[in-house]
């Protein structure tokens, strides 16, 4: 069964009435990017910025895509950058969806409404210092009250992302998505990134598999792909890399249609799992082109020397990776 057939069976097409519009011509590929090499976070980036953004919450309806499709309401937290004005519809914003790790929740990175966490301060300072354009950051959760299997929830989260979360967020805030029909979401994919840590990284690789038409940038942090099998990056790196390559080909896409900025630390439990998979992906350079700058390719593996499987590694991969998407 080909990839498109699998996606249809997985239920990732939007409901009737959201799928009939023709897509626009794709935007031209960016040609200017910051270099990918790891840089330490500058001093003061965890201090409160003079002009900081604001964290709000958004509620949206979804369903148990990993089971019997019971319906329920979820909450995600939304970082709005300094100067965001809901009435200024001429100003558009890129969107980064960032998923927590195992045992976490949507509150892991921003705490809650109007709170001042280190992640918020980091994003504030990255924007204030011109490291990247002001962007919207969304922290959802794969948690599901009807299914306690985190692996299943991560695998099927792409359905929730495309069908429910993106329409809720990008239908509310001023983004590059002109409409939240299937065509509008696909047309704006290069203004949308998805990343996650640990289990959230596994979720990111599944989003790559099931929602490549809707997302252009990916940031898997401290976690290999489980698309072939659990810890497939370690146990079946060749098969996993080839599977990821086939995903791209089945979508009819090329190496110019997406970017992956992955990363971990040398002391991270995910380090030995990610290395073999990334090494095999590098060999498949008709689809995955390893590079020091994204003008030359679409894949990079950011390694933090001495980094552990913790929030400090997340901060540093986000600091290094996000400007490569929305710099």
């Amino acid at each position: 069964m080909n990839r498109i057939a699998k996606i249809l069976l997985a239920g990732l097409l939007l409901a009737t009435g959201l799928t009939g519009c023709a897509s626009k011509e794709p935007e031209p590929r960016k040609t200017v990017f910051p270099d990918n090499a790891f840089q330490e976070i500058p001093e003061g980036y965890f201090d409160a910025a003079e002009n900081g953004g604001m964290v709000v919450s958004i509620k949206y309806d979804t369903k148990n895509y990993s089971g019997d499709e019971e319906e329920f309401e979820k909450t995600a937290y939304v970082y709005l950058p300094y100067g965001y004005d809901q009435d200024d519809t001429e100003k558009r914003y890129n969107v980064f969806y960032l998923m927590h790790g195992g045992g976490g929740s949507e509150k892991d990175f921003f705490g809650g409404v109007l709170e001042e966490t280190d992640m918020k301060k980091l994003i504030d300072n990255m924007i204030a210092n011109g490291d990247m354009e002001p962007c919207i950051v969304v922290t959802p959760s794969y948690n599901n009250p009807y299914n306690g299997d985190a692996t299943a929830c991560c695998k099927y989260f792409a359905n929730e992302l495309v069908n429910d979360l993106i329409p809720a967020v990008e239908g509310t805030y001023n983004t590059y998505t002109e409409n939240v029909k299937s065509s509008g979401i696909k047309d704006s994919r290069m203004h949308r990134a998805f990343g996650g840590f640990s289990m959230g990284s596994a979720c990111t690789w599944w989003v790559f598999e099931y929602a490549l038409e809707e997302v252009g940038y990916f940031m898997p942090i401290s976690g290999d792909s489980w698309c072939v099998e659990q810890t497939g990056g370690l146990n079946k790196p060749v098969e996993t890399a080839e599977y990821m390559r086939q995903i791209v080909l089945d979508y009819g896409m090329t190496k110019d249609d997406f970017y992956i900025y992955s990363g971990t630390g040398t002391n991270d439990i995910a380090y030995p799992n990610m290395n073999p998979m990334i090494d095999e992906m590098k060999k498949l350079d008709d689809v995955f082109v390893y590079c020091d700058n994204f003008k030359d390719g679409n894949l990079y593996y950011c390694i933090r020397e001495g980094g552990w499987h913790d929030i400090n590694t997340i901060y540093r991969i986000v600091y290094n990776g996000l400007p490569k998407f929305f710099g």
Side-chain angles (χ1 to χ4, degrees):
M1 183 181 294
N2 65 29
R3 178 70 44 198
I4 301 303
K6 288 182 180 179
I7 293 168
L8 288 169
L9 289 175
L12 288 179
L13 290 179
L14 297 182
T16 301
L18 299 184
T19 58
C21 299
S23 295
K24 301 183 300 183
E25 287 296 316
E27 294 185 17
R29 189 174 190 261
K30 287 173 62 176
T31 58
V32 178
F33 296 88
D35 285 339
N36 285 334
F38 178 83
Q39 300 290 327
E40 188 50 76
I41 298 173
E43 185 177 354
Y45 269 50
F46 292 113
D47 296 337
E50 182 177 349
N51 295 319
M54 178 173 63
V55 176
V56 299
S57 66
I58 189 168
K59 294 185 182 298
Y60 62 99
D61 293 326
T62 187
K63 61 182 67 174
N64 177 25
Y65 290 104
S66 58
D68 295 329
E69 299 198 346
E70 298 92 340
E71 296 181 356
F72 59 100
E73 184 181 72
K74 291 184 78 169
T75 299
Y77 289 92
V78 181
Y79 167 89
L80 301 174
Y82 176 78
Y84 178 87
D85 181 355
Q86 187 66 30
D87 294 328
D88 183 6
T89 56
E90 296 299 312
K91 173 65 176 174
R92 305 292 184 94
Y93 294 86
N94 298 306
V95 187
F96 176 41
Y97 295 86
L98 179 61
M99 183 63 75
H100 61 81
S105 77
E106 66 275 8
K107 292 186 175 183
D108 277 14
F109 298 116
F110 291 136
V113 173
L114 300 181
E115 292 204 20
E116 293 284 328
T117 63
D118 282 345
M119 181 63 82
K120 178 187 178 295
K121 294 172 186 175
L122 176 63
I123 300 296
D124 281 340
N125 280 293
M126 289 170 66
I127 293 171
N129 287 286
D131 300 321
M132 64 180 183
E133 297 177 2
C135 70
I136 293 171
V137 182
V138 182
T139 59
S141 175
Y142 58 73
N143 292 330
N144 178 338
Y146 295 99
N147 192 333
D149 182 345
T151 300
C153 290
C154 285
K155 179 175 182 179
Y156 292 100
F157 183 80
N159 302 59
E160 180 179 321
L161 174 71
V162 172
N163 294 338
D164 308 316
L165 182 57
I166 291 174
V169 171
E170 300 184 34
T172 299
Y173 301 105
N174 299 328
T175 70
Y176 286 89
T177 304
E178 295 183 1
N179 65 75
V180 293
K181 298 178 181 179
S182 177
S183 59
I185 293 172
K186 291 175 181 178
D187 287 342
S188 56
R189 64 185 292 274
M190 297 312 298
H191 295 284
R192 187 177 303 115
F194 191 96
F197 169 70
S198 193
M199 282 299 298
S201 184
C203 184
T204 302
W205 292 114
W206 272 309
V207 169
F208 183 89
E209 177 176 6
Y210 292 120
L212 188 57
E213 288 185 309
E214 291 82 14
V215 180
Y217 298 94
F218 300 86
M219 190 187 296
I221 305 170
S222 298
D224 57 316
S225 168
W226 292 5
C227 293
V228 171
E229 69 173 34
Q230 189 165 320
T231 63
L234 172 65
N235 298 323
K236 292 188 176 180
V238 173
E239 295 88 342
T240 298
E242 291 176 347
Y243 187 87
M244 303 299 288
R245 173 182 177 272
Q246 194 62 45
I247 287 169
V248 178
L249 298 179
D250 285 348
Y251 275 110
M253 293 190 182
T254 74
K255 57 184 174 57
D256 294 330
D257 293 320
F258 64 92
Y259 300 89
I260 300 172
Y261 193 96
S262 59
T264 190
T266 56
N267 292 330
D268 197 314
I269 57 173
Y271 183 65
N273 294 0
M274 294 188 78
N275 284 350
M277 181 185 75
I278 297 295
D279 284 344
E280 293 301 326
M281 290 173 71
K282 290 178 183 179
K283 298 175 184 178
L284 305 176
D285 58 5
D286 60 329
V287 169
F288 301 111
V289 182
Y290 197 80
C291 59
D292 292 323
N293 188 293
F294 277 146
K295 68 180 176 60
D296 301 315
N298 61 10
L299 173 65
Y300 189 73
Y301 184 36
C302 180
I303 300 174
R304 181 194 177 208
E305 192 66 35
W308 297 87
H309 197 75
D310 62 14
I311 190 67
N312 294 304
T313 294
I314 302 172
Y315 292 146
R316 281 149 182 84
I317 304 304
V318 169
Y319 169 75
N320 279 274
L322 198 51
K324 312 311 186 286
F325 300 165
F326 303 143

